[in-house]
Amino acid sequence: MRTHMVFSMGALALANSLVLRDVVASLVIAGVVSALGNAVIDALGHERRFPRRTPLTHTVPRSILWGSASAIPAIAMALLYYPQAAGIAAAVDGLLVGPSHMLLDAFTEGGIYVKKKGKWRRVALAHIKYDDPLVNTATALAGIAMLAAALML
């Protein structure tokens, strides 16, 4: 989950930097949306009895819905404390956090779900173990690189 948060925070901060000039607002909003969105997607989308993902949250369209719903507190915070553009950035972050999560999960052996002929099917682009330290480190470094790029824009 930490890898998801670091990667998506970097991606969201980079997206925010295209709209916001306030670096602190950009990072705060990206961090809040990343933490809430990834926590909701994982908490609701994993079965407790058998540790596996479910189509409740692990589809691209549903991840967008859950990400958007989990961003509501960040949108409210942004509109209260920052200019209107920050609220828009938080809303866009809500739309992006789910697909960011799905992108990473699509490369794991558990994959994500797509509907084919009316049935949910798991799709994995590469069958990488979710706890592979080398891949998680590289993914976290990609998130950190996006954060650095966001700070330079």
Side-chain angles (χ1 to χ4, degrees):
M1 173 108 129
R2 287 185 302 258
T3 303
H4 281 295
M5 288 191 195
V6 172
F7 182 84
S8 64
M9 183 176 174
L12 300 179
L14 189 55
N16 290 349
S17 70
L18 301 174
V19 180
L20 297 176
R21 295 293 151 230
D22 185 338
V23 175
V24 173
S26 178
L27 293 177
V28 168
I29 292 166
V32 170
V33 173
S34 176
L36 292 174
N38 285 300
V40 166
I41 289 169
D42 273 347
L44 296 177
H46 289 209
E47 289 184 347
R48 304 268 185 258
R49 244 184 327 160
F50 307 105
R52 66 179 182 141
R53 299 175 183 121
T54 69
L56 177 63
T57 62
H58 282 78
T59 71
V60 173
R62 289 180 179 178
S63 74
I64 292 169
L65 291 174
W66 288 112
S68 296
S70 64
I72 291 171
I75 295 167
M77 175 195 71
L79 290 173
L80 283 173
Y81 296 106
Y82 298 109
Q84 186 176 4
I88 294 168
V92 170
D93 285 356
L95 295 171
L96 296 176
V97 70
S100 165
H101 190 108
M102 294 306 104
L103 175 67
L104 298 184
D105 279 357
F107 286 97
T108 65
E109 55 196 1
I112 62 172
Y113 288 89
V114 295
K115 203 166 218 179
K116 289 186 182 177
K117 298 182 182 179
K119 293 185 180 183
W120 290 112
R121 306 266 188 224
R122 281 189 310 145
V123 174
L125 300 175
H127 295 272
I128 299 169
K129 291 187 179 288
Y130 76 94
D131 60 352
D132 183 306
L134 184 62
V135 173
N136 284 339
T137 300
T139 304
L141 288 173
I144 292 167
M146 288 186 282
L147 273 170
L151 293 173
M152 288 186 235
L153 289 178

